[in-house]
């Protein structure tokens, strides 16, 4: 019997059924107990009218050259050209910019999840290509974890190393008694995992924890952020005030003598500095429950009772990634670590802290961190990366100075943006500001499968293949299966894979040998698989031969001999197992961070009033918008697919609102509303939701940007893209992460017939104008 044809996506593994040379349907992987429905969107999307079929060049750029009519990006038709001409144009532009202005004038960060396949991972391909050509301006950090990735090495250790140690659900079921989740464990997020998600088990484990008698506490403005078959204790906190809530918990522990002084003395440094702040010795304001209650809109008794229960039980504190995607987002993560240290349970089974159970599927999995094949990207000769969320700042302020993680830096002067495998019009905040910034570079090149808003705002668009249209290997850390992703269908039109595209451009600029190493795609797959054996050996994993793996279709990675307990070795002997922090211990006060002199991120965790919140500044825009991850797509991927479109309201992204807030505005379920603030405006469809804190609205990200007047700044987005509303501000000078969850809006019923959706329509195509003959 032949092995089933499999593919791996970021939201699951599927069996592929092909009919008449086309992908007909995707069936759930037999080992997946709760498969994601997102896979159902793929077959129809592959051949939809939204597909990019031929290379295309924006008309003004084609006729006028680099820098021509950049204000027309997003509003101008394209001219379809041959591959030879497109490749010549791109190669010439890469050469022009690097030779005239230097490689520091090329931005190729290309943020995005792209393919779950490890070789055809678009971001890796473009980075390798650019490094072979002399380098590029890169980014550091992620939109998901911008604040945490920068903060945590100073106070406890590298984010990825800590996540690889996360105590698994199996241990929590046996030992945990109180599971405190700031931001909950949203099951919509656990559908996905970068590089693959072969088994969806988080919902099952939450039910098992509840059945085992674990008290589940959800501190979140959204009740559904933690949902099981058993009632969960919901504490509906005011958004962006978790740091104040945590400080009050810490104050109660100190005031009542419930903190673990021995652990703080032997495993931590700087607690006395935080203690002075908690007790009001530093500023005269004790950070007790009475102080926090009006800030958080949570009764003081609730906070005190929770602090006592944390100290009396084996307690796990988990904090969703969303909390650090807000103004001063470093603070709740720092306080998560500090609180767990004060309880003294770090390194004990079922206790301590987690850097998010639930942001992605892998957190809490009882599996190895082995991640399988990895495409080497080479060494980047350009040493001026920017924080990932500061794209608009960089483009709008070349030569401008900014602070980041203890250093003053200068934004480069970008002439060429090369984007491959992502969508900045999804990830970046304040899209109207991004559109203004997007007009600054002389040329924007993008590889795309579909006519997304990013593609429509480019100068040169090269059609790329989908994962189902090429061979690859799906694999990622803490997932149980490595997948042989065999080509299932031919790509429509003239689409080519990114490797082929870059190989041809490399041939034109003289870097072909360095980029390809004289291997075709099949040769690379075999080479990368064999190269991953050494890393597999470190985990005691014995890989089969490549041919056996390819024929079988998948390889089950064995479980670890015993489950992890995060920081167990450090707890047992903090001298022999020093942390990577300057002191080798948990730094509740960081001398290094204090030395930076940042007023918005001092040497210990603290409360800062957000720039926008439902406190004193909410009079004009009285609703707090939570722009959460979607349940019907991954980020913006497959928003044009059936799963996403069937759950929209009259074609618009739903916005969830409390019944009282809806009644105050005379809104009913299914109404089309205008959501607005000073940054932008968009349409959305009303969904009444009692499980929201009053004053809070929730709208998922990922709706493709669809302007009423293409190319115009400030125009109405017809479709419901939340990022026309979100603020483009760094979390602090330390991390410069995104502050997307700090956002106030107002809502009103839209008057008249809503304009038709055009987000999924291709752009207009025209013929190239005849060149104007020179005057004699």
């Amino acid at each position: 019997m032949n092995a089933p044809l499999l593919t791996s996506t970021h939201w699951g593994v599927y069996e592929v059924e092909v009919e008449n040379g086309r992908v007909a349907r995707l069936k759930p992987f037999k080992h997946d107990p709760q498969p994601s429905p997102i896979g159902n969107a793929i077959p129809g999307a592959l051949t939809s009218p939204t597909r990019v079929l031929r290379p295309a060049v924006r008309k003004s750029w084609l006729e006028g050259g680099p820098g021509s009519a950049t204000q027309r990006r997003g509003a101008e038709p394209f001219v379809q050209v041959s591959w030879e001409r497109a490749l010549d144009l791109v190669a010439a532009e890469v050469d022009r910019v690097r030779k005239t202005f230097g490689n520091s004038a090329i931005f190729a960060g290309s943020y995005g999840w792209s393919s779950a396949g490890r070789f055809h991972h678009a971001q890796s391909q473009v980075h390798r290509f650019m490094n072979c050509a002399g380098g590029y301006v890169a980014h550091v950090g992620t939109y998901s974890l911008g604040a945490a990735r920068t903060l945590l090495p100073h106070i406890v250790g590298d984010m990825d190393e800590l996540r690889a140690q996360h105590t698994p659900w199996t241990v929590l079921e046996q030992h945990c008694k109180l599971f405190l989740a700031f931001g909950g464990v949203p099951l919509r997020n656990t559908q996905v995992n970068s590089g693959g998600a072969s088994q969806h088990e988080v919902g099952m484990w939450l039910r098992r924890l509840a059945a085992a008698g674990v008290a589940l506490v959800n501190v979140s403005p959204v009740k559904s952020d933690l949902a099981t078959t058993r009632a969960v204790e919901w504490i509906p906190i005011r958004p962006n005030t978790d740091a104040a809530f945590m400080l009050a918990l810490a104050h109660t522990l100190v005031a009542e003598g419930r903190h673990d002084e021995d652990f703080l003395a032997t495993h931590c440094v700087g607690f006395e500095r935080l203690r002075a702040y908690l007790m009001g010795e530093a500023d005269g304001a004790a950070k007790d429950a009475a102080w926090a209650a009006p800030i958080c809109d949570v009764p003081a008794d609730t906070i005190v009772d929770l602090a006592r229960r944390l100290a009396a039980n084996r307690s796990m504190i988990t904090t969703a990634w969303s909390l650090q995607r807000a103004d001063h987002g470093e603070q709740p993560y720092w306080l998560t670590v500090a609180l767990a240290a004060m309880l003294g349970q770090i390194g004990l089974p079922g206790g301590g802290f987690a850097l998010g159970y639930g942001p992605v599927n892998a957190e809490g999995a009882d599996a190895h961190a082995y991640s399988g094949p990895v495409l080497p990207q080479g060494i980047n000769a350009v040493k001026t990366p920017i924080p990932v969320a500061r794209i608009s700042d960089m483009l709008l302020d070349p030569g401008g100075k900014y602070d980041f993680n203890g250093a003053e830096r200068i934004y480069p002067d970008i002439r060429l943006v090369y984007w491959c495998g992502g969508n900045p019009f999804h990830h970046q905040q304040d899209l109207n500001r991004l559109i203004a910034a997007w007009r600054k570079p002389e040329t924007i090149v993008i590889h795309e499968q579909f006519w997304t808003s990013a593609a429509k705002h480019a100068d040169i668009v090269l059609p790329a293949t989908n994962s189902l249209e090429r061979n690859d290997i799906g694999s990622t850390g803490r997932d149980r299966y490595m997948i042989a992703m065999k080509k299932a269908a031919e790509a429509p039109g003239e689409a080519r894979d990114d490797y082929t595209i870059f190989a041809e451009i490399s041939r034109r600029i003289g870097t072909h040998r360095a980029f390809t190493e004289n291997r075709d795609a099949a040769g690379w797959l075999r080479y990368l698989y064999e190269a991953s054996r050494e890393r597999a050996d470190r985990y005691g994993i014995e890989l089969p031969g490549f041919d056996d793996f390819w024929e079988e279709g998948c390889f089950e990675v064995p479980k670890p001999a015993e489950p992890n307990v995060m920081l167990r070795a450090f707890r047992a002997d903090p001298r022999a197992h020093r942390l990577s922090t300057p002191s080798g211990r948990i730094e509740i006060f960081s001398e290094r961070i204090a030395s930076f002199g940042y007023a918005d991120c001092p040497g210990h965790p603290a409360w800062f009033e957000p720039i926008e919140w439902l406190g004193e500044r909410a009079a004009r825009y009285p609703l707090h918008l939570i722009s959460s991850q979607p349940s019907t797509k991954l980020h913006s991927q497959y928003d044009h697919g059936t799963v996403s479109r069937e759950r929209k309201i009259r074609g618009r992204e739903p916005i969830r609102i409390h019944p009282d807030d809806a009644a105050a505005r005379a809104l009913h379920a299914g109404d089309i509303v205008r959501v607005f603030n000073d940054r932008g405006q968009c349409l959305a469809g009303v969904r009444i939701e009692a499980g929201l804190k009053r004053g809070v609205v929730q709208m998922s990200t990922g709706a493709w940007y669809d302007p009423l007047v293409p190319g115009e700044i400030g125009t109405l987005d017809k479709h419901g893209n939340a990022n026309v509303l979100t603020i483009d501000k760094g979390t602090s000078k330390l991390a410069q992460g995104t502050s997307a969850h700090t956002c106030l809006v107002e809502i009103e019923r839209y008057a008249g017939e809503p304009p038709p959706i055009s987000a999924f329509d291709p752009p207009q195509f025209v013929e190239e104008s005849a060149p104007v003959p020179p005057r004699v």
Side-chain angles (χ1 to χ4, degrees):
M1 182 177 177
N2 292 331
L5 184 63
L6 299 176
T7 193
S8 181
T9 72
H10 296 303
W11 48 90
V13 174
Y14 300 90
E15 293 185 21
V16 185
E17 292 190 354
V18 179
E19 295 177 0
N20 300 319
R22 295 175 62 175
V23 175
R25 64 192 61 86
L26 300 184
K27 294 172 56 179
F29 189 43
K30 64 181 180 181
H31 300 291
D32 193 346
Q34 193 172 359
S36 168
I38 296 175
N40 298 329
I42 299 177
L46 293 182
T47 55
S48 73
T50 311
R51 195 73 192 261
V52 182
L53 298 176
R54 293 185 60 198
V57 185
R58 186 171 62 86
K59 188 173 184 293
S60 289
W61 193 99
L62 184 64
E63 296 173 355
S68 298
T70 58
Q71 76 281 1
R72 295 282 294 154
R73 286 187 182 127
E76 193 171 16
F78 284 80
V79 178
Q80 293 181 318
V81 299
S82 69
W83 264 110
E84 287 302 306
R85 187 175 185 191
L87 293 168
D88 288 344
L89 289 171
V90 173
E93 185 61 0
V94 170
D95 253 358
R96 180 188 75 88
V97 173
R98 66 177 182 152
K99 292 177 179 177
T100 305
F101 304 103
N103 286 74
S104 61
I106 301 173
F107 180 66
S110 295
Y111 186 87
W113 279 39
S114 180
S115 166
R118 297 298 83 191
F119 171 63
H120 289 291
H121 182 248
Q123 188 181 123
S124 299
Q125 290 283 347
V126 68
H127 292 173
R128 178 179 175 83
F129 164 76
M130 283 295 174
N131 285 335
C132 291
Y136 63 99
V137 173
H139 69 256
V140 293
T142 66
Y143 283 90
S144 295
L145 286 164
R149 282 192 185 279
T150 305
L151 168 74
L152 290 171
H154 295 295
I155 65 168
V156 67
D158 176 78
M159 179 80 183
D160 289 333
E161 292 179 4
L162 291 167
R163 288 175 60 201
Q165 300 179 49
H166 264 169
T167 303
W169 297 109
T170 50
V171 174
L172 294 179
E173 182 185 28
Q174 297 175 40
H175 299 281
C176 184
K177 296 301 179 184
L178 176 59
F179 184 85
L180 173 58
F182 287 95
V185 182
L187 292 182
R188 63 179 179 273
N189 292 7
T190 65
Q191 293 182 98
V192 305
N193 199 67
S194 180
S198 61
Q199 294 177 305
H200 294 87
E201 299 179 331
V202 177
M204 175 196 73
W205 280 113
L206 288 173
R207 292 190 294 272
R208 288 183 61 163
L209 261 60
V214 180
L216 304 174
V217 182
N218 176 28
V219 181
S220 170
V222 183
K223 186 176 184 179
S224 62
D225 276 350
L226 183 56
T228 69
T229 56
R230 176 186 171 190
V232 174
E233 181 181 346
W234 178 37
I235 300 177
I237 191 173
R238 179 176 284 155
N240 287 191
T241 65
D242 300 85
F245 189 103
M246 293 176 177
L247 285 165
L249 292 175
H251 180 278
T252 302
L253 295 178
V254 173
E256 298 186 357
R258 298 175 187 268
H259 58 302
D260 190 325
E261 294 183 345
D262 289 341
F263 186 86
L264 292 168
T266 56
H267 292 73
C268 307
V269 296
F271 172 69
E272 288 305 314
R273 301 290 290 272
L274 176 61
R275 184 188 184 283
Y277 178 73
L278 292 172
M279 308 315 288
E281 297 171 11
D283 57 7
K287 311 307 180 295
D288 58 13
W291 165 83
I295 296 173
C296 307
D297 196 24
V298 174
D301 290 347
T302 300
I303 300 173
V304 171
D305 176 67
L306 181 58
R308 292 169 178 169
R309 290 159 60 197
L310 284 168
N313 290 282
R314 181 65 57 85
S315 301
M316 172 61 71
I317 303 174
T318 175
T319 303
W321 295 355
S322 57
L323 268 67
Q324 49 89 61
R325 293 198 295 269
D327 196 19
H328 308 293
E330 297 84 359
Q331 303 309 314
Y333 259 53
W334 201 338
L335 281 161
T336 296
V337 177
L339 261 178
M342 291 173 67
L343 293 171
Q345 298 183 23
I346 292 173
L348 292 177
F353 69 93
L355 305 170
Y357 287 106
V360 292
N361 184 65
E363 308 304 333
D366 185 11
H368 288 293
Y370 167 69
S371 60
V374 178
L375 178 67
Q377 298 180 16
I379 298 174
N380 191 350
V382 177
K383 307 301 182 183
T384 56
I386 64 164
V388 66
R390 303 273 60 81
I391 295 174
S392 296
D393 288 358
M394 172 187 69
L395 296 178
L396 290 168
D397 189 24
K401 296 179 180 179
Y402 68 101
D403 290 296
F404 173 61
N405 201 19
E408 185 179 78
R409 301 192 179 192
I410 297 176
Y411 286 121
D413 187 1
I414 299 300
R415 305 303 179 105
L416 167 64
V417 172
Y418 205 126
W419 210 276
C420 184
N423 183 2
F425 282 77
H426 163 74
H427 287 286
Q428 183 62 20
Q429 278 58 65
D430 194 348
L431 290 188
N432 285 302
R433 187 167 186 261
L434 176 66
I435 291 169
W438 216 240
R439 295 174 176 177
K440 296 297 184 178
E442 296 167 350
T443 301
I444 297 173
V445 179
I446 187 169
H447 297 194
E448 248 301 350
Q449 302 169 20
F450 306 106
W451 280 107
T452 64
S453 48
K456 292 175 182 176
H457 284 80
D459 298 314
I460 302 175
V461 182
L462 304 181
T465 56
N466 181 273
S467 296
L468 287 159
E469 298 158 356
R470 59 202 184 211
N471 292 324
D472 213 331
I473 299 173
S475 179
T476 190
R478 292 170 297 152
D479 192 81
R480 290 290 309 285
Y481 287 88
M482 184 184 297
I483 304 299
M485 301 168 59
K486 300 175 186 177
K487 180 177 177 179
E490 295 296 332
E494 300 177 13
R496 299 181 180 182
D497 64 67
D498 299 308
Y499 179 69
T500 299
I501 296 170
F502 285 127
E504 287 301 317
I505 299 172
S506 296
R507 194 184 305 278
R508 287 163 167 79
I509 65 174
T511 59
H512 185 265
R513 184 172 181 179
F515 177 74
T516 66
E517 297 186 15
N518 294 324
R519 296 188 187 95
D520 60 11
W524 271 109
L525 287 180
R526 185 179 294 273
Y527 170 78
L528 296 177
Y529 181 89
E530 295 298 334
S532 71
R533 285 185 180 278
E534 181 179 345
R535 284 183 290 109
D537 288 343
R538 297 177 203 158
Y539 294 93
I541 300 170
E542 185 178 352
L543 295 179
F546 177 79
D547 291 329
D548 291 338
F549 160 70
W550 197 254
E551 182 178 355
E552 186 66 23
C554 68
F555 169 67
E556 182 177 0
V557 180
K559 287 186 177 183
E562 62 177 284
N564 287 323
V565 172
M566 191 163 79
L567 297 177
R568 175 166 47 192
F570 168 69
R571 179 185 184 86
D573 191 339
R575 292 185 177 180
H577 300 281
R578 289 170 53 90
L579 302 180
S580 57
T581 60
S583 66
R585 299 183 182 186
I586 295 169
E587 303 215 357
I588 295 175
F589 180 90
S590 168
E591 294 284 358
R592 180 192 288 164
I593 293 176
S595 72
F596 298 159
Y598 297 151
D600 57 1
C601 190
H604 62 76
W607 158 252
F608 292 91
E609 182 179 344
I611 192 170
E612 294 182 16
W613 68 304
L614 294 177
E616 297 177 356
R617 304 182 183 184
R620 187 175 179 194
Y621 297 112
L623 298 173
H624 190 113
L625 173 65
I626 295 177
S627 50
S628 56
Q629 291 298 317
S631 63
T632 58
K633 48 189 171 278
L634 167 59
H635 300 148
S636 63
Q637 289 184 45
Y638 294 105
D639 186 40
H640 64 305
T642 54
V643 176
S644 178
R645 294 173 80 162
E646 286 173 356
R647 299 192 194 178
K648 294 180 186 288
I649 297 174
R650 296 170 65 186
R652 328 288 158 167
E653 195 69 23
I655 187 165
R656 296 161 183 84
I657 185 170
H658 189 277
D660 292 348
D661 293 320
R665 294 161 178 79
L667 300 176
H668 302 90
D671 285 348
I672 300 302
V673 293
R674 185 175 77 100
V675 190
F676 62 97
N677 58 21
D678 291 337
R679 290 179 290 274
Q681 54 179 328
C682 68
L683 298 185
V686 170
R687 188 163 287 163
I688 308 296
E689 178 62 68
L692 289 174
K693 184 176 179 63
R694 187 170 181 178
V696 173
V697 292
Q698 181 187 34
M699 183 165 62
S700 295
T701 58
W704 289 9
Y705 176 62
D706 193 13
L708 182 64
V709 182
E712 182 176 299
I713 295 174
T715 190
L716 177 73
D717 168 61
K718 302 178 291 181
H719 193 202
N721 188 311
N723 281 341
V724 302
L725 304 162
T726 53
I727 191 171
D728 185 14
K729 175 190 179 299
T731 52
S732 76
K733 291 181 179 179
L734 178 76
Q736 295 287 359
T738 178
S739 296
H741 285 299
T742 299
C743 180
L744 296 181
V745 301
E746 180 56 288
I747 296 177
E748 64 183 16
R749 180 183 284 105
Y750 184 74
E753 183 65 22
I757 299 296
S758 54
F760 309 128
D761 297 339
Q764 180 187 5
F765 298 111
V766 297
E767 297 295 325
E768 183 177 2
S769 300
V772 178
R775 293 184 179 181
V776 178

